Amino acid sequence: MIKRWCLKTHTEIDTRSQEALEKEMKLNPIISRLLVQRGITTPDGVKKFFKPSLNDLHDPFLMPDIHKAVKRLNKALGNNEKILIYGDYDVDGTSAVSLVYRFLRSYSTMLDYYIPDRYDEGYGISYKGIDYAEERGMTLIIALDCGIKAVDKVKYAKEKGIDLIICDHHMPDDELPDALAVLDAKRSDSIYPYEHLSGCGVGFKFMQAFAMSNDIPFSTLECLLELTAISIASDIVPITGENRILAYYGLRQLNYNPSIGIKGIIKTAGLQGKEITVSDIVFKIGPRINASGRMMNGREAVDLLLARDEKSANEKSANIDQYNDERREMDRKITEEANAIIDDFKDIDDHKGIVVYNPDWHKGVIGIVASRLTEKYYRPAVVLTKSSELITGSARSIGGFDMYKAIENCRDLLENFGGHTYAAGLSLREENLKEFIERFMKIAAEEITPEQMIPQIDIDAVISLKDINNSLMNSLKRMNPFGPNNEKPVFCSYNVRDFGTSKVVGKDGAHLKLELIDDSTKIPAHAIAFGMSERAQYITDGNPVDICYTIEENVYNGITSIQLLIKDIRPYWP
């Protein structure tokens, strides 16, 4: 697939800011350029970016309704009330439930937790969950990563004498649920300084406020930051502002003192002895936690995250690892079936969106399949299946197309929906399916330009191969953690050529192991280009090429070296 290379703009003001940072902070010009691109233009900003401080976390009492939430929680604990901690079945929800439960179990023995069944109850607060609380005499539900649209469910709970504290981060409707407290920084009346917290992050702020109200030292909360880091990375929220601080210290906790349950996941994921990064959470830790809710019930993931003995943690980790293997196989099979459906489209090039439906597909993996379709065809994709009496689906988007808004424009056809700009979930009755597809495709056709359907690689800077050294690598590492809105820097180098030792590698000969030079150096830069073996002949024939890439540390047999991870290769045109 052809990709557009887009070099980020750099204005005169940016150049002056960059030069000032270089002078005052003695920074590498490449690093100062990267910082300015991220809006960091002052020495104080640089210091806070390179070394986030927990002292810069916002006051949790700025969150709407949090005074009421803390007051009600204190009352419940003081009266020894039974409390149900309720959360969604994905990584964000299960990590949020685990965080709140882990903290409060030091102050109460009257706690229980509840994860709805993806297939029986669906997303969010369920009537069955409320009935569960009533049957066990619970008078307070703390709902995490869900509830912002649960108007009818909250009313149902109130009729049963159960108070609800909602901790959510999804977009609210105009009407908020009539809960005792609704904690969500995206509320229109919110003055909270940062609106991009994960669901687990909102739960953390609630516990921070509770601790402050009871003079409990902040240090007692720090062991929970591993869970906020897992949720931030897995839920793909911006790693800026407060999220950057939470992720930074959460990663430190994961690397130096993880809890027993997470140690079990680290072991089964093959991450022991390795520095754990956001990428490791996204591709190895998060999917294993998610697999529990996808294939079985998310409660098992919470059981693992709350484990207090190594034997139990290892057993539960092995179970979840098996679920993840089953999930991968099912994901592969359904993706193949979805691609076969799309292959039958006679005019796929004219489609600016994709909607595929099979009533027999497994509900637990359709979100992953939607992501794969979006990546392959570079169009917004909706993948639908049958669940009980409803059709349910997951949607993923491309840059510049607001998936949440598109689905919201079909809300009169839907039973339920929710999500973000780039990912959403929905359910509808079968009789509305045809009209939903027509309307969604019409919205996509009207809003998506041909240019948006060409994958774009945003390039931070043009550099020469001689600029790539250990000093630059060490400076880049200080910019961690990388993620949305602080992406790993992408560089490009022009007019590079084979040193004479590049070759095809991999079991199926699909990849390229490159050794490249340019006019600035005769010392070859080592690089790997996954899935690009079709370029081998052109490169080994000595033709000059342009490359864009990220700079990575490669550890092999205990030896650490610098390796370029190639994102694209194109012929060099003088």
Side-chain angles (χ1 to χ4, degrees):
M1 182 179 286
I2 295 173
K3 298 174 182 175
R4 282 185 296 138
W5 294 18
C6 183
L7 182 64
K8 292 181 181 176
T9 57
H10 208 63
T11 66
E12 278 189 38
I13 295 173
D14 291 336
T15 300
R16 286 198 293 271
S17 297
Q18 177 183 334
E19 290 170 349
L21 286 184
E22 288 171 34
K23 185 176 180 181
E24 285 195 61
M25 306 294 293
K26 296 181 170 55
L27 293 174
N28 180 313
I30 296 170
I31 298 299
S32 60
R33 178 187 175 98
L34 297 175
L35 292 171
V36 169
Q37 285 173 348
R38 285 154 177 75
I40 302 158
T41 58
T42 65
D44 185 56
V46 172
K47 290 173 186 174
K48 287 186 175 183
F49 183 79
F50 280 153
K51 187 66 187 295
S53 172
L54 291 168
N55 293 327
D56 290 328
L57 291 175
H58 300 304
D59 179 358
F61 284 100
L62 295 173
M63 188 81 70
D65 284 359
I66 203 160
H67 287 87
K68 290 190 285 186
V70 169
K71 182 179 179 181
R72 181 64 184 91
L73 178 56
N74 281 328
K75 178 184 174 185
L77 295 174
N79 293 339
N80 213 26
E81 295 178 47
K82 292 182 178 179
I83 302 171
L84 183 65
I85 302 169
Y86 188 113
D88 189 25
Y89 38 68
D90 69 0
V91 181
D92 195 12
T94 52
S95 61
V97 168
S98 303
L99 183 149
V100 172
Y101 189 94
R102 268 176 60 180
F103 190 66
L104 292 183
R105 69 183 172 187
S106 299
Y107 308 100
S108 174
T109 59
M110 306 295 282
L111 303 177
D112 194 5
Y113 50 92
Y114 189 94
I115 306 294
D117 185 275
R118 183 190 290 264
Y119 308 100
D120 181 38
E121 298 165 80
Y123 166 78
I125 299 171
S126 69
Y127 292 114
K128 185 176 179 179
I130 295 167
D131 290 340
Y132 177 94
E134 182 191 29
E135 289 161 8
R136 286 156 181 77
M138 294 167 175
T139 49
L140 176 63
I141 296 175
I142 299 173
L144 296 146
D145 190 36
C146 61
I148 196 65
K149 295 185 178 184
V151 174
D152 294 338
K153 313 290 174 51
V154 170
K155 183 180 178 183
Y156 182 72
K158 287 185 74 172
E159 290 169 354
K160 294 178 177 296
I162 301 171
D163 287 329
L164 260 151
I165 295 172
I166 292 171
C167 303
D168 207 346
H169 71 129
H170 296 100
M171 285 297 297
D173 281 337
D174 293 336
E175 179 188 3
L176 292 176
D178 188 23
L180 183 134
V182 178
L183 313 184
D184 189 333
K186 289 187 173 75
R187 284 177 50 166
S188 60
D189 61 344
S190 174
I191 60 168
Y192 194 74
Y194 189 75
E195 68 173 16
H196 300 298
L197 292 167
S198 64
C200 184
V202 178
F204 179 84
K205 299 304 294 187
F206 182 22
M207 293 302 96
Q208 183 188 3
F210 166 75
M212 290 170 65
S213 76
N214 290 282
D215 295 321
I216 299 168
F218 182 85
S219 57
T220 60
L221 288 159
E222 290 184 30
C223 63
L224 304 173
L225 290 173
E226 62 180 10
L227 293 166
T228 65
I230 288 171
S231 76
I232 287 166
S234 300
D235 218 51
I236 319 180
V237 292
I239 302 187
T240 57
E242 194 162 37
N243 278 344
R244 180 174 172 78
I245 300 170
L246 295 171
Y248 180 91
Y249 285 94
L251 282 166
R252 177 178 287 188
Q253 185 75 23
L254 277 172
N255 279 292
Y256 296 109
N257 191 24
S259 61
I260 290 171
I262 290 175
K263 276 183 184 176
I265 303 173
I266 289 170
K267 182 179 178 181
T268 58
L271 294 172
Q272 282 181 308
K274 179 183 182 300
E275 182 182 359
I276 296 170
T277 64
V278 165
S279 182
D280 293 319
I281 296 173
V282 171
F283 294 108
K284 295 186 177 181
I285 294 175
R288 283 169 168 80
I289 296 172
N290 240 341
S292 175
R294 291 187 188 281
M295 307 305 295
M296 296 293 287
N297 185 286
R299 185 178 177 95
E300 193 165 356
V302 179
D303 291 342
L304 171 59
L305 294 173
L306 296 176
R308 285 174 147 167
D309 67 273
E310 193 172 328
K311 182 183 177 184
S312 171
N314 287 339
E315 288 174 356
K316 289 180 171 62
S317 295
N319 288 344
I320 283 176
D321 204 45
Q322 183 179 338
Y323 299 152
N324 194 48
D325 289 342
E326 293 169 3
R327 186 273 307 166
R328 275 199 294 252
E329 177 56 28
M330 193 168 291
D331 157 27
R332 183 196 62 76
K333 178 176 176 291
I334 294 175
T335 300
E336 286 179 359
E337 292 174 359
N339 282 323
I341 292 172
I342 295 168
D343 286 343
D344 286 339
F345 292 171
K346 292 183 174 61
D347 52 353
I348 181 60
D349 291 339
D350 297 328
H351 285 66
K352 291 187 177 179
I354 292 170
V355 182
V356 288
Y357 169 59
N358 184 323
D360 299 323
W361 284 340
H362 194 286
K363 183 181 175 184
V365 299
I366 57 174
I368 302 171
V369 175
S371 295
R372 299 202 190 287
L373 298 182
T374 297
E375 183 179 345
K376 179 176 180 178
Y377 299 101
Y378 215 70
R379 292 160 169 78
V382 183
V383 180
L384 301 164
T385 188
K386 194 76 176 285
S387 179
S388 298
E389 298 302 311
L390 294 175
I391 290 173
T392 186
S394 286
R396 299 294 184 268
S397 193
I398 59 173
F401 182 72
D402 190 331
M403 181 62 82
Y404 180 87
K405 184 179 176 184
I407 289 177
E408 186 180 37
N409 286 337
C410 305
R411 67 184 305 159
D412 57 302
L413 303 172
L414 306 176
E415 297 300 304
N416 196 9
F417 74 98
H420 311 284
T421 300
Y422 292 110
L426 65 149
S427 61
L428 67 158
R429 297 194 179 280
E430 192 156 9
E431 57 265 30
N432 291 329
L433 176 60
K434 185 173 182 291
E435 187 175 348
F436 168 76
I437 294 172
E438 290 173 354
R439 193 183 303 179
F440 176 81
M441 295 297 285
K442 184 173 185 289
I443 292 168
E446 291 173 349
E447 295 188 9
I448 296 175
T449 64
E451 290 75 21
Q452 282 176 268
M453 295 163 64
I454 302 172
Q456 176 173 305
I457 299 175
D458 292 317
I459 296 169
D460 293 89
V462 179
I463 62 174
S464 298
L465 295 184
K466 71 176 176 57
D467 296 320
I468 303 167
N469 51 39
N470 288 327
S471 175
L472 177 63
M473 183 76 250
N474 291 333
S475 294
L476 289 173
K477 286 169 67 176
R478 295 180 70 194
M479 296 181 68
N480 272 302
F482 293 116
N485 295 79
N486 182 42
E487 303 282 357
K488 184 171 286 189
V490 176
F491 302 99
C492 75
S493 296
Y494 299 138
N495 193 17
V496 306
R497 56 193 178 277
D498 179 27
F499 182 63
T501 47
S502 298
K503 59 185 178 180
V504 171
V505 297
K507 184 178 179 182
D508 301 318
H511 315 307
L512 266 178
K513 187 173 177 59
L514 301 167
E515 293 188 359
L516 302 168
I517 57 172
D518 63 9
D519 290 339
S520 72
T521 179
K522 300 304 178 187
I523 300 171
H526 297 265
I528 187 75
F530 293 112
M532 299 187 196
S533 59
E534 76 279 358
R535 322 275 179 97
Q537 190 67 52
Y538 186 85
I539 292 171
T540 56
D541 281 349
N543 293 300
V545 293
D546 299 337
I547 55 172
C548 65
Y549 53 89
T550 58
I551 301 174
E552 310 288 341
E553 268 191 340
N554 183 45
V555 181
Y556 184 71
N557 288 337
I559 299 173
T560 301
S561 61
I562 295 174
Q563 179 174 262
L564 312 185
L565 179 58
I566 303 293
K567 297 176 76 70
D568 199 19
I569 301 170
R570 67 184 186 187
Y572 167 69
W573 298 105

